[in-house]
Amino acid sequence: EACFALGQFDEAWDAYSWRKNAPENPNIAPQYPLPVWHGEDLAERTILVWTEQGPGETFLFATTLNEIITISKKCIVATTERLQPILARSFPGAEVVNSATLDVSSTAADIQSSLLDLCRPLRRSWTDFPKPSSHIKPDQRRVEELSPHYQPDNDNPLVVGIAWRSFNVSNAIEKSVPLDLWRPILSVPGVRFVSLQYGDVKNEVEQIKTIPGISIQTEPILDPITDIEGHLAQIANLDLVISTSNTTA
């Protein structure tokens, strides 16, 4: 993180690659019999890109996929079953497949890369990062189904989602902000706040709601762990999201 902050991108990506050697890393890289892409010309090549971590990291690093689709002959994305329809909808220029059932020999792929490693050739400076955009597309049917729950009213013209806690076993404390510290935000008038927080936080929410002027909508309950499509549709209905570093972000 310090190297990124200093603009030392080569050193930063070198340090980031050490995640593969960390004993606590539960993600095992697939052993595809293909050379690894290091930035070579892809105009006449088919690249297999595989996701290696959870939804949060996948959605974050997926900003590189449109570039890969543009510069390659073909892009195949191998991911988990629950992310497959989301990435296929968001990146129609790629062929998105289920990594659990993928037979590499049946594809035309001749080079590979982890999704996270695409950044090394494509993100060499801050100017290489695209402007923020909604590159992950929700299921419009689910968006419409949930829309009635998140309509603004005269007293609260803005509907804002919040998520404040991570349940990551290794760094949950660093990635969480106790809900009690959100009082200045939750006290802003004219805003209806909606909980996007996963996990059992009922007691936290009920306690903060005892403070006059603070209210948090918790219905309908949608768990991004079990219903990520619903979670994306929920977010799409909101005017703004304020979150710590968790899946919601």
Side-chain angles (χ1 to χ4, degrees):
E1 292 179 2
C3 290
F4 282 121
L6 293 171
Q8 299 172 352
F9 281 79
D10 285 341
E11 295 86 347
W13 292 126
D14 283 344
Y16 190 60
S17 69
W18 277 97
R19 72 188 184 281
K20 303 169 186 176
N21 303 318
E24 67 274 15
N25 184 0
N27 304 294
I28 301 175
Q31 300 301 306
Y32 298 133
L34 299 170
V36 175
W37 185 61
H38 296 291
E40 302 90 338
D41 184 11
L42 292 174
E44 299 299 325
R45 308 185 79 171
T46 295
I47 184 170
L48 172 64
V49 179
W50 42 273
T51 61
E52 67 172 86
Q53 297 190 25
E57 290 81 8
T58 296
F59 295 159
L60 177 64
F61 284 84
T63 59
T64 57
L65 284 178
N66 280 327
E67 292 165 73
I68 291 295
I69 291 167
T70 299
I71 66 175
S72 66
K73 178 181 178 181
K74 182 178 181 180
C75 175
I76 302 171
V77 180
T79 190
T80 60
E81 183 177 9
R82 69 170 177 156
L83 295 185
Q84 184 180 1
I86 298 171
L87 295 183
R89 182 171 61 241
S90 302
F91 303 98
E95 178 185 351
V96 183
V97 299
N98 185 341
S99 55
T101 58
L102 174 63
D103 178 5
V104 176
S105 64
S106 67
T107 73
D110 46 29
I111 201 166
Q112 66 166 314
S113 176
S114 159
L115 175 63
L116 277 59
D117 288 337
L118 293 178
C119 284
R120 179 65 187 258
L122 297 177
R123 301 289 183 265
R124 306 298 302 274
S125 71
W126 289 119
T127 58
D128 291 334
F129 287 80
K131 294 181 179 179
S133 64
S134 300
H135 59 285
I136 301 300
K137 309 301 181 185
D139 182 337
Q140 285 302 313
R141 180 184 61 83
R142 297 293 303 274
V143 173
E144 293 169 6
E145 287 176 356
L146 290 171
S147 178
H149 297 282
Y150 305 108
Q151 293 302 306
D153 54 48
N154 292 333
D155 294 329
N156 299 298
L158 287 178
V159 184
V160 176
I162 61 170
W164 59 94
R165 186 173 296 283
S166 171
F167 288 91
N168 188 304
V169 295
S170 61
N171 54 6
I173 295 177
E174 293 87 347
K175 300 176 72 173
S176 302
V177 177
L179 192 56
D180 185 62
L181 297 180
W182 288 64
R183 288 190 190 191
I185 295 175
L186 299 175
S187 300
V188 173
V191 181
R192 174 147 56 99
F193 290 98
V194 176
S195 173
L196 300 176
Q197 182 59 55
Y198 59 91
D200 185 5
V201 294
K202 180 179 179 180
N203 291 338
E204 275 188 282
V205 173
E206 292 304 317
Q207 183 175 358
I208 199 75
K209 286 167 65 175
T210 62
I211 300 173
I214 291 182
S215 178
I216 301 176
Q217 177 181 330
T218 56
E219 299 291 338
I221 298 174
L222 295 169
D223 186 349
I225 305 302
T226 59
D227 184 13
I228 195 167
E229 287 278 20
H231 191 61
L232 292 174
Q234 183 183 34
I235 291 172
N237 276 292
L238 305 176
D239 296 304
L240 176 70
V241 172
I242 306 173
S243 175
T244 58
S245 178
N246 63 18
T247 299
T248 301

